[in-house]
């Protein structure tokens, strides 16, 4: 064995040709064995595998990817600016889950932000050239053309969330409607008479669903949905501040607020404090996501927990299945909705 380890010493890594010579077969046969082709006899496969082990041959991943028409990479695309990426725990949790699930694969992860139309077009050209094997797309707006492009070029893709109730691209989502409904039912159950909501951008289905849950809870309590108790924002802290100021000016008698994200709830909390409103004595407050923001607020924030990191993991699992079986275009596309849970804390 010592002599085997010295084979090729000082001459760089062993080559495919050296493996073929050691096994007594052709170069093409070695390639078929390494790439898992069934068109090789057991005896030949054993000889090649033994030669690979003896020589310490490591396949060239780039060459293998080209031979298999694979890029050995997936793209995680976030069509948002850096300010949102680093300010909102949702994105970091998704990235953590995606990275953890990809850790045991040979796939590289490419993180791409889209901030301008030029960057969007550059990404479209890159994906059209099939430089990656699949795409994970996060934070999808209704008018985003990327999901349709991915369908057109037959690129395996999975969305975090969806564009509408009739989404055609595979997705992993949370029970946004049910989670929001439980949040508002909690506020009403705590005796709050005038419950408002701060929504996300309503061109996003996730925001529409959380608003739908608010409506369902209000109506289930025998109350009418009042337009002045609904303020739209953008899932940012500043958006939460603006929306809270709007709500207080329209309905100063409000005594409960459901914010459709923890970050917006943090902004709302600041405005309530500036206006002398105590949480929860004067105004009870509930958020959505149960991020680190919720646990570190003063008082700690009641929030709807969604398994964001698990969403990232699930997206990868679905994408790997899509990459492996993309040829079957007639099969029902994977659609996964993860449950949510209300976590009660001192803010309500």
């Amino acid at each position: 064995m010592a002599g085997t380890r010295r084979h090729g010493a000082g001459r760089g890594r062993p080559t495919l040709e050296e493996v073929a010579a050691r096994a007594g077969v052709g170069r093409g046969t070695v390639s078929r064995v390494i790439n898992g082709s069934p068109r090789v006899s057991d005896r030949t496969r054993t000889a090649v595998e033994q030669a690979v082990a003896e020589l310490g041959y490591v396949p060239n991943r780039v060459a293998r990817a080209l031979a298999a028409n694979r890029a050995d990479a997936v793209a995680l695309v976030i069509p948002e600016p850096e300010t949102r990426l680093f300010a909102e725990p949702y994105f970091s949790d998704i990235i953590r889950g995606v990275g953890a699930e990809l850790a045991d694969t040979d796939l590289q992860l490419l993180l791409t932000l889209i901030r301008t139309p030029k960057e969007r077009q550059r990404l479209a050209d890159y994906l059209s050239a099939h430089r990656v094997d699949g795409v994970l797309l996060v934070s999808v707006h209704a008018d985003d053309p990327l999901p349709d492009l991915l369908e057109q070029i037959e690129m395996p893709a999975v969305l975090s969330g969806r564009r509408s109730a009739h989404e055609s691209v595979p997705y992993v989502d949370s029970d946004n409607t049910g989670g929001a409904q439980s949040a508002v039912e909690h506020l009403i159950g705590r005796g709050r008479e005038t419950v408002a909501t701060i929504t996300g951008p309503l061109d996003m289905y996730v925001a529409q669903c959380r608003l739908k849950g608010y409506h369902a809870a209000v109506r289930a309590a025998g109350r009418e949905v009042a337009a002045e108790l609904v303020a739209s924002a953008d899932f940012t802290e500043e958006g939460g501040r603006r929306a809270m100021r709007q709500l207080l000016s329209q309905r100063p008698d409000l005594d409960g607020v459901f914010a459709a994200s923890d970050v917006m709830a943090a902004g709302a909390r600041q405005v309530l404090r500036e206006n002398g409103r105590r949480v929860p004595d004067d105004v009870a407050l509930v958020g959505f996501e149960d991020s680190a923001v919720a646990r570190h607020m003063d008082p700690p924030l009641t929030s709807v927990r969604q398994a964001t990191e698990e969403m990232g993991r699930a997206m990868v699992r679905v994408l790997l299945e899509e990459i492996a079986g993309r040829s079957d275009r007639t099969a029902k596309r994977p659609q996964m909705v993860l449950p949510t849970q209300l976590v009660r804390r001192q803010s309500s």
Side-chain angles (χ1 to χ4, degrees):
M1 292 300 291
T4 299
R5 284 195 296 270
R6 287 194 299 270
H7 181 93
R11 299 189 299 107
R13 58 193 291 174
T15 66
L16 200 68
E17 287 75 10
E18 289 173 338
V19 173
R22 173 64 66 95
V25 298
R27 186 179 187 280
T29 300
V30 174
S31 180
R32 284 193 291 274
V33 170
I34 290 173
N35 287 290
S37 171
R39 296 185 296 116
V40 181
S41 70
D42 291 342
R43 181 178 179 181
T44 299
R45 186 182 308 280
T46 298
V48 171
E49 290 173 348
Q50 183 176 345
V52 166
E54 291 175 352
L55 294 174
Y57 174 74
V58 178
N60 185 315
R61 287 186 60 210
V62 174
R64 288 183 60 188
L66 289 172
N69 196 27
R70 291 274 300 275
D72 278 349
V74 298
L76 174 59
V77 180
I78 303 178
E80 302 288 354
E82 299 100 321
T83 50
R84 286 201 63 192
L85 175 67
F86 295 112
E88 297 182 32
Y90 174 82
F91 294 114
S92 59
D93 288 345
I94 285 283
I95 293 170
R96 187 180 302 112
V98 167
E101 195 66 26
L102 283 174
D104 292 332
T105 74
D106 290 331
L107 295 171
Q108 295 292 328
L109 177 63
L110 306 177
L111 175 61
T112 303
L113 303 184
I114 302 177
R115 294 152 293 192
T116 66
K118 182 178 180 180
E119 289 180 339
R120 184 179 298 276
Q121 184 57 53
R122 188 162 60 222
L123 176 65
D125 294 341
Y126 186 84
L127 297 178
S128 296
H130 286 264
R131 302 283 184 84
V132 296
D133 298 314
V135 173
L136 302 164
L137 183 56
V138 180
S139 191
V140 184
H141 294 255
D143 61 351
D144 193 330
L146 273 177
D148 290 334
L149 170 67
L150 295 170
E151 286 276 89
Q152 291 166 12
I153 66 175
E154 298 190 0
M155 171 69 71
V158 180
L159 310 183
S160 170
R162 41 191 153 152
R163 292 168 293 174
S164 73
H166 309 291
E167 182 58 70
S168 58
V169 178
Y171 63 80
V172 177
D173 205 352
S174 291
D175 181 10
N176 293 295
T177 301
Q181 184 169 349
S182 69
V184 179
E185 286 175 347
H186 167 71
L187 287 168
I188 293 172
R190 300 287 288 176
R192 304 296 162 155
E193 296 293 334
T194 308
V195 179
T197 186
I198 298 174
T199 79
L202 294 176
D203 67 334
M204 298 183 72
Y205 188 62
V206 56
Q208 296 170 24
C209 287
R210 291 177 189 178
L211 178 58
K212 181 180 177 181
Y214 166 81
H215 286 168
V218 170
R219 292 191 177 112
R223 305 177 184 181
E224 290 189 11
V225 175
E228 65 269 20
L229 288 174
V230 178
S232 180
D234 57 1
F235 286 136
T236 68
E237 189 171 349
E238 177 55 34
R241 285 193 286 266
R242 288 195 304 267
M244 193 68 249
R245 293 189 191 102
Q246 175 186 336
L247 290 171
L248 285 175
S249 68
Q250 293 172 172
R251 290 297 298 266
D253 60 326
L254 63 82
D255 59 0
V257 176
F258 164 58
S261 80
D262 293 344
V263 172
M264 292 195 299
R269 174 70 184 89
Q270 293 175 15
V271 172
L272 289 170
R273 175 173 289 173
E274 291 167 1
N275 284 267
R277 304 296 180 93
R278 297 168 299 168
V279 176
D281 301 33
D282 301 321
V283 180
L285 184 62
V286 178
F288 201 114
E289 283 167 21
D290 190 37
S291 64
V293 171
R295 297 187 291 276
H296 295 150
M297 278 178 59
D298 179 24
L301 181 68
T302 296
S303 184
V304 178
R305 176 177 294 165
Q306 63 174 1
T308 311
E309 188 169 333
E310 174 55 29
M311 286 180 68
R313 286 180 172 273
M315 288 174 68
V316 171
R317 292 195 293 268
V318 173
L319 183 64
L320 294 179
E321 292 174 2
E322 284 288 289
I323 292 172
R326 186 63 170 176
S327 58
D328 186 4
R329 302 282 296 171
T330 63
K332 178 174 169 49
R333 314 311 299 283
Q335 299 175 347
M336 186 181 299
V337 178
L338 303 180
T340 55
Q341 177 188 4
L342 183 70
V343 179
R344 295 169 175 82
R345 297 192 180 93
Q346 289 92 323
S347 71
S348 62

